Amino acid sequence: MLSADGTFPVIVVARQHETPDVVSLELALPDGGELPRWTPGAHIDIEVGDAGVRQYSLCGDPQDRFRWRVGVLLERDGRGGSRYLHQQVAPGSTLTVSLPRNNFALDEGRTYIFVAGGIGITPILPMIAAAEDEGASWSLHYGGRTRQSMAYRDEVSVHGSRVSVLPQDECGLLPLGDILAGGDPSAQIYCCGPEPLLAAVESALGPAESRRLHLERFRPRTVGEDSGPDRDFTVKIVSTGATIRVGEDQSIVDALEDAGITVETSCREGTCASCETSVIEGEVCHRDSVLSAGEREQSASIMLCVSRARSDLLVLDL
């Protein structure tokens, strides 16, 4: 089933418009067999014609081994990936996808606060189902431009008072101060949506609370000025002892590939984690959009497509 690059074909078996700009696609194997397992928060890569590869959160039922569901927002000013899925794909179409990856896994907890903005509701849907199955306490605060633009609104509204649907044109911006201050101080907070929402949630929580915050970004985060200028450094491969020089205008991935060392990559912008690699030694300048603040501080791993070294030598578990 899997090709050499870890991808495989699926058939679009159903398509449904959730809003004028959001379409659900249901995917199955061509032979009707069982799909790989996944957990809430997981995403897959989908090849989107000449636009390359895009990542989409799985938003169906993890217990359904025969169908996957993704929700695709039409980005009219985007790079063409969503336009391809909206305009070129119909039931019966074949797509090439990757195995699921999860950078936004749902930790075990007794209390959850879910915050979603727009299409950021997609990874939250299976999390709500999992929290229900666990008997956990949870709340969802779902914002969007208008009520009509908010996909899966009816699906979440069945949960009654635990769900707050807050369209911006009716309610203004999500009241993050009240949402975060009014909850259980030990609650795990899961947030997905546009960058201004994620930045606002990060700002609303103090550093001491950052460990209970989990974010999923669809686009690269803005790297702060403290990342410093690009500079040359050396990468050492622990399995062979080989050393590769990374130029100031090169990514680590590009330098490794120039040296004949293949690294699995997908987005090449620090959002998918396909190139995440363990760090044995060295100081990392993290520029990814996956690791939490605590994980960046620990520097146990690096996203080779965007992050760099602060030290002269970086020893990698390759």
Side-chain angles (χ1 to χ4, degrees), residues 172-209:
L173 297 175
L174 287 175
L176 296 177
D178 294 338
I179 291 169
L180 301 176
D184 183 334
S186 66
Q188 296 293 307
I189 302 165
Y190 284 81
C191 180
C192 185
E195 183 59 31
L197 172 63
L198 305 185
V201 171
E202 286 182 306
S203 297
L205 290 171
E209 298 178 294

